[in-house]
Amino acid sequence: MRFSLRIFLGYFLIVAVLGWYVVDLIRNEIKPAMRQSAEEIMIDTANLMAELIRPDFVAGTLGSGEFARAVEDYARRSPNARIWGVAKGAVDLRVYATDARGIVVFDSTGNAVGQDYSQWRDVHLTLRGQYGARTSRHEYADEATTVMYVAAPIRVDGRIAGALTVAKPNHAMQPYIERAHGKLLRALVLIVGLGLAFGAGFSWWLSRAIGRLTDFAHAVSAGRPAPVPALPGNRELAVLAQALGEMRERLEGKAYVEHYVHGLTHELKSPLAGIRGAAELLDDDLDPAERARFAGHIRREAERLQSIVDRLLELARLETRQALATHEPVSLADAANTVLGALAPRLDAGRIGLELAIPPDASVTGERFLIEQALRNLLQNAIDFTPPDGLIRITATPDGDGWTLHIHNDGPAIPDYALPRLGERFYSLPRPDGNQRGTGLGLALTRTIAELHGGGVTVTNHPAGGVVAMLRL
């Protein structure tokens, strides 16, 4: 499982569990809170009715007095109210009163008159001067039939002469409880949804930073130039990226020096041996012609040494760069014409023909000097391996978000064993004309330039004959 997915699932699990816990806690508090609020209102109602019933209670006219008629009128009322979206079409308070012994003397339903309610908590406690209330089920097996009872004392001449109880079925509050539960459920869904979105965004942000760091590590391990990724939003990963960059520079520097010293030592042996041999022969008694020939050999070998050193310095300078210094639009046709103008004497000397077919819109973003240098290296190789009266074709084709230059010459095919090694430092093939082989640094320089421009170099044998070098920028 991917690291980012683990973070996302862990974060989502925490948000979901925490959201459910909070919602469930509030949900479990809704029913008691609503009943407590209703009980507080019923206390006021019971005490008010206890005062209203007292005249009829004292007069003994509870069955036909003003209070009884008022309760009957109340029972016939239809409020036709909508309370926060919940319809209320009928009243549901029940009222009953008992005497000092707990015997029911008035019941708005007319069902309990004469019954002994002295053992019910609402009546029992109220007749003893305490707060009396209870919740009982109308049907024992059905919790939905619970009714809340709240009583208040009926006082006559300062003594408790009876108790008045108001009762309200709890199912009347159920729509409001369910409505609140629905809102909480929607809130939970919203919280979890936001948690999902935030968790996904956070996981993407973190995995993107880790992915950039991983790509950087892969580029370093592959030896490709890559800038240290900037991770301003994540200090820890930014510090790690910087540490990896410093480690790369130190390791690359060590390996770079070891590799170059080994290659340079091997490459310098041949010209140094030629110079030493020619110098020893100059000590002999030679005629002027022989002396001039050996002196010329020393000069040519010294020039070769200078060329190797210059190319190595140039390659070292490029390989230590992790990004381009400038970014400007470069016309490939203009760059090719500039290079061909500089190499025209060599083309003429070798009687080499040229076909140039680069579209006018072929343009890339990069450093013009480096692009021209890469083209010059490939064209010099093409000239070196093209026979007299041969032909070099230069074309360009779009390639994804860039362009690929094709430089095709009529020279001999490259042996299969040599194809994988092209581009290695100090590896080169002998020229067809018998001239001294090159250093192999030109193609290495070109490859480095192409990689700085997000591309690469491929040299292969063309199916129709000859060799084609492809420079992608």
Side-chain angles (χ1 to χ4, degrees), residues 275-454:
I275 291 173
R276 180 184 297 138
E280 290 175 355
L281 291 173
L282 287 176
D283 291 335
D284 297 338
D285 187 14
L286 301 175
D287 59 67
E290 288 292 316
R291 184 177 295 275
R293 184 168 67 87
F294 287 123
H297 181 72
I298 292 175
R299 183 172 60 256
R300 286 191 299 274
E301 293 299 319
E303 290 174 351
R304 184 182 175 197
L305 286 175
Q306 185 64 47
S307 174
I308 292 173
V309 171
D310 291 343
R311 281 297 182 93
L312 276 176
L313 290 175
E314 189 176 6
L315 183 59
R317 185 174 63 254
L318 279 178
E319 288 184 336
T320 55
R321 292 173 58 175
Q322 303 301 325
L324 295 172
T326 60
H327 294 79
E328 59 179 339
V330 179
S331 169
L332 296 182
D334 292 346
N337 285 324
T338 299
V339 173
L340 289 171
L343 296 178
R346 291 196 58 190
L347 291 168
D348 294 340
R351 303 192 307 278
I352 297 173
L354 180 69
E355 289 183 2
L356 180 63
I358 299 179
D361 62 337
S363 176
V364 296
T365 300
E367 291 188 38
R368 183 184 182 90
F369 174 78
L370 293 182
I371 293 174
E372 291 180 354
Q373 190 174 20
L375 278 171
R376 185 186 187 97
N377 292 335
L378 293 179
L379 281 170
Q380 284 177 333
N381 282 343
I383 293 172
D384 288 341
F385 286 92
T386 301
D389 300 318
L391 179 66
I392 294 177
R393 303 174 185 87
I394 304 174
T395 60
T397 57
D399 187 353
D401 57 350
W403 287 81
T404 296
L405 284 162
H406 304 262
I407 302 173
H408 178 213
N409 67 73
D410 291 336
I414 300 172
D416 292 339
Y417 68 84
L419 283 172
R421 298 194 61 186
L422 292 179
E424 291 183 12
R425 302 176 185 90
F426 307 118
Y427 182 82
S428 62
L429 294 171
R431 271 41 179 176
D433 57 6
N435 287 336
Q436 193 175 44
R437 68 176 65 194
T439 63
L441 295 176
L443 194 55
L445 272 169
T446 303
R447 188 183 305 279
T448 301
I449 292 172
E451 289 173 352
L452 284 173
H453 286 80

Side-chain angles (χ1 to χ4, degrees), residues 149-190:
Y149 300 84
V150 175
I154 302 173
R155 297 181 184 274
V156 178
D157 298 331
R159 64 180 178 85
I160 298 177
L164 180 136
T165 298
V166 292
K168 186 175 184 66
N170 284 323
H171 69 75
M173 291 175 277
Q174 193 61 31
Y176 306 101
I177 295 174
E178 292 176 354
R179 182 173 179 271
H181 286 174
K183 285 188 174 181
L184 279 176
L185 183 60
R186 290 191 292 272
L188 175 63
V189 172
L190 179 61

Side-chain angles (χ1 to χ4, degrees), residues 1 3 5 9 17 22 75 84 108 123 148 160 184 186 212 249 251 258 263 276 283 303 380 391 420 445 466 469:
M1 186 182 293
F3 177 68
L5 183 58
L9 291 178
V17 171
V22 172
W84 296 98
S108 60
V123 176
M148 184 160 44
I160 298 177
L184 279 176
R186 290 191 292 272
R212 292 178 62 190
E249 291 176 2
L251 291 176
E258 291 176 351
R276 180 184 297 138
D283 291 335
E303 290 174 351
Q380 284 177 333
L391 179 66
L445 272 169

